[in-house]
Each structure stands twice: as C-alpha cells, then as structure tokens.
C-alpha cells in the first residue's frame, strides 16, 4: 500500500479526529516500543495528519476573520488567534 493510499482517509477527518489520532501517534513514538519500520510508517501518517490539521485550522482562522468585519464590511479591531500546540 502506498503512502497516499494509507492516508486517503485523512482528507475526510474533522480537526478533532485528526488531532486525537496525531496525539496517539506521538504517544506511541515517545513510548519507544514501536518497531523501526512501523515507526516510520506512523511518523509519515502523523505528518499527513499534522498537515491536514494545519489546513483545517487555517480555514477556521479565515472564517473567524470574516466574522469580525463590521456591518459595513470594514475590518474591526482583531488580533491573531493564538493556539498552543503540544506535539
């Protein structure tokens, strides 16, 4: 199975589902009892999950910025959305 086929389901995941799986992968890798070949495979999946999560987060940030426009369509005072990531 190719890397793309192995990660095809990620495109349909919600942010929360992708993040939960990414946290599981990080935990497994940190624990250190995963064979090398499997470590590489789940690391690659983790990278795909991270990229997908980043994309979904960027979309959400854009929506938040849109929602902060004044009724006239002018930008109101906004500040960047700050999120603390734990990888």
């Amino acid at each position: 199975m190719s890397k793309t086929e192995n990660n095809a389901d990620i495109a349909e995941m919600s942010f929360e589902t992708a993040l939960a799986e990414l946290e599981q992968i990080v935990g497994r890798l940190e624990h250190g009892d995963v064979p090398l070949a499997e470590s590489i495979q789940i690391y690659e999946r983790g990278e795909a999950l991270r990229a997908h999560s980043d994309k979904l987060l960027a979309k959400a940030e854009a929506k938040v910025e849109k929602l902060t426009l004044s009724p006239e369509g002018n930008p109101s005072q906004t500040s960047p959305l700050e999120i603390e990531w734990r990888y």
Side-chain angles (χ1 to χ4, degrees):
M1 184 182 299
S2 76
K3 212 178 355 177
T4 304
E5 291 169 342
N6 189 36
N7 297 329
D9 62 318
I10 292 173
E12 302 302 317
M13 286 184 178
S14 69
F15 177 81
E16 294 78 12
T17 301
L19 187 58
E21 185 176 340
L22 181 57
E23 288 173 346
Q24 289 176 346
I25 288 172
V26 170
R28 289 184 69 198
L29 291 171
E30 286 179 343
H31 197 263
D33 62 349
V34 182
L36 180 60
E38 186 179 352
S39 292
I40 293 168
Q41 184 180 23
I42 64 173
Y43 178 85
E44 289 172 344
R45 183 164 175 85
E47 281 295 311
L49 287 162
R50 183 201 52 79
H52 178 66
S53 297
D54 285 349
K55 185 173 107 178
L56 292 175
L57 185 58
K59 284 183 181 180
E61 288 174 341
K63 286 181 182 178
V64 168
E65 285 184 18
K66 254 186 175 176
L67 292 172
T68 59
L69 293 178
S70 70
E72 297 82 28
N74 299 320
S76 57
Q77 195 128 15
T78 62
S79 59
L81 180 63
E82 293 183 26
I83 296 183
E84 183 179 321
W85 288 97
R86 293 175 286 143
Y87 287 106

